[in-house]
Amino acid sequence: MAATSPSVRRAEKPMNMNTSAPMLRYMDSQDAAMRPIEDECFPEGDQYLNARKALENATEELARNALPKMGKKLPKVLEALGDTLSIAERVSSCWWGCSQGTHTIEYMLGSVVSTALASLRLLLAGFYDESLALTRSIAERANLLFLLNGRSEELARWESASARDRRQQFSPVRVRLRLEELGHTPPTDQDRYKALSERGVHPGARPQVFNHGQRAVSAGIFQPAGLAVALNELARAVALAVGIGVFPLEHLPLDMRKGLQSRVLPLAGSVGGATVLEVEEFLARIDWQRPAG
């Protein structure tokens, strides 16, 4: 059984729901003494799902209350993220005019918006690994948008390819290698992509390890370091994807595209030092008496 964070006890008060009590008692018993309890004490069926939802709601409340105290940069992320996703949604839905074309870039930006909103919901509810898995797909789109930007031959090859050929010719690895062949550093390089995959996608890793004791934790439990890492990675990926993606939309005036790019800069500037590349180092140096920054 996965160990749990002591922060689950702090979640009990704001929950104030009877359905969550058996799960909290179970978690507390595992955390405190690792002693077995009767199966009938642990919720099942709808009661289990309701208890889980209550725990997730409490975790989100803890996260939102903690964010303003988490360093200098992280408290600015949500506002900047909302601004950037709002821009991306309007661009993707032809709010400022339609290209009358294939909408390839617009569709990619629309997918960035929906994926980012899902990733945000997960990380606020304490599903940090799962949030990173979705953030990885945004990072993949940022690399692809970078490859297609200003390269009409690559865009034509993408648009004319079958679904099978796209998977082969424009896989994340192929896109990264193509960018390196062209002399560019991919927005998301091999090291970061590997770290996102190991945390959120590949099987075998211990789940939700964002704590000082390096303990595996049940999803939905508030961990300040997990919140910081997942939110920083999401902010970085979205800033890159949207900042790159608005520029190829040539039906919009150049000054407007530059203006939209400049409005993404606050999000890029809000990304702090807690990243997926140095989770262990970050955990080792933060003050565990205060929320992670």
Side-chain angles (χ1 to χ4, degrees):
M1 173 59 62
T4 57
S5 165
S7 61
V8 69
R9 296 192 183 96
R10 293 196 296 273
E12 188 168 5
K13 184 175 180 180
M15 278 182 183
N16 195 27
M17 292 181 64
N18 292 333
T19 54
S20 65
M23 180 174 288
L24 289 171
R25 286 199 299 271
Y26 172 80
M27 290 177 175
D28 279 344
S29 72
Q30 295 294 298
D31 189 46
M34 298 299 288
R35 59 181 178 271
I37 61 175
E38 298 298 326
D39 279 347
E40 57 266 23
C41 294
F42 198 86
E44 296 181 354
D46 284 345
Q47 189 181 42
Y48 172 80
L49 297 176
N50 290 335
R52 264 291 170 183
K53 184 62 176 177
L55 181 61
E56 293 161 22
N57 290 341
T59 295
E60 179 169 352
E61 182 179 346
L62 287 169
R64 290 186 178 276
N65 289 337
L67 268 174
K69 308 168 188 176
M70 295 177 71
K72 296 180 179 179
K73 291 186 174 182
L74 205 63
K76 303 175 183 178
V77 170
L78 288 185
E79 185 73 21
L81 183 62
D83 287 344
T84 300
L85 292 177
S86 174
I87 290 170
E89 181 158 353
R90 280 176 282 176
V91 168
S92 69
S93 60
C94 302
W95 181 269
W96 290 300
C98 181
S99 64
Q100 302 297 325
T102 61
H103 293 86
T104 296
I105 304 301
E106 290 92 333
Y107 292 154
M108 289 187 189
L109 288 173
S111 180
V112 166
V113 173
S114 58
T115 305
L117 292 173
S119 178
L120 178 63
R121 175 167 289 195
L122 286 170
L123 70 88
L124 289 174
F127 292 77
Y128 309 114
D129 290 343
E130 292 74 17
S131 170
L132 290 171
L134 291 182
T135 293
R136 188 188 78 160
S137 69
I138 300 173
E140 291 174 0
R141 289 179 178 86
N143 281 3
L144 179 58
L145 286 164
F146 190 39
L147 176 64
L148 301 181
N149 187 11
R151 298 183 180 88
S152 57
E153 72 285 356
E154 296 286 359
L155 181 58
R157 196 159 64 91
W158 166 271
E159 291 179 342
S160 64
S162 65
R164 179 179 179 181
D165 288 341
R166 283 181 184 174
R167 287 194 297 270
Q168 293 177 345
Q169 298 172 17
F170 292 92
S171 68
V173 173
R174 289 286 184 89
V175 169
R176 176 175 57 79
L177 292 176
R178 178 61 177 150
L179 287 171
E180 291 173 353
E181 289 173 3
L182 294 169
H184 297 290
T185 299
T188 296
D189 61 17
Q190 182 179 11
D191 289 342
R192 175 167 257 107
Y193 190 82
K194 178 182 178 182
L196 288 169
S197 300
E198 289 176 348
R199 283 273 172 181
V201 179
H202 292 167
R206 291 177 298 157
Q208 316 295 342
V209 180
F210 296 95
N211 55 80
H212 187 256
Q214 295 290 286
R215 299 172 65 188
V217 175
S218 179
I221 306 266
F222 178 61
Q223 297 184 77
L227 175 64
V229 169
L231 191 52
N232 276 329
E233 289 295 335
L234 177 59
R236 179 187 182 279
V238 169
L240 285 168
V242 178
I244 295 168
V246 298
F247 207 75
L249 300 174
E250 296 182 354
H251 66 286
L252 300 178
L254 179 60
D255 287 347
M256 182 179 184
R257 283 178 279 153
K258 289 182 177 179
L260 292 176
Q261 280 188 322
S262 69
R263 293 184 62 188
V264 178
L265 293 177
L267 180 60
S270 69
V271 178
T275 72
V276 74
L277 289 174
E278 52 178 28
V279 176
E280 288 75 17
E281 293 85 349
F282 176 71
L283 289 169
R285 70 174 182 262
I286 64 174
D287 181 358
W288 284 96
Q289 300 304 312
R290 305 183 332 187

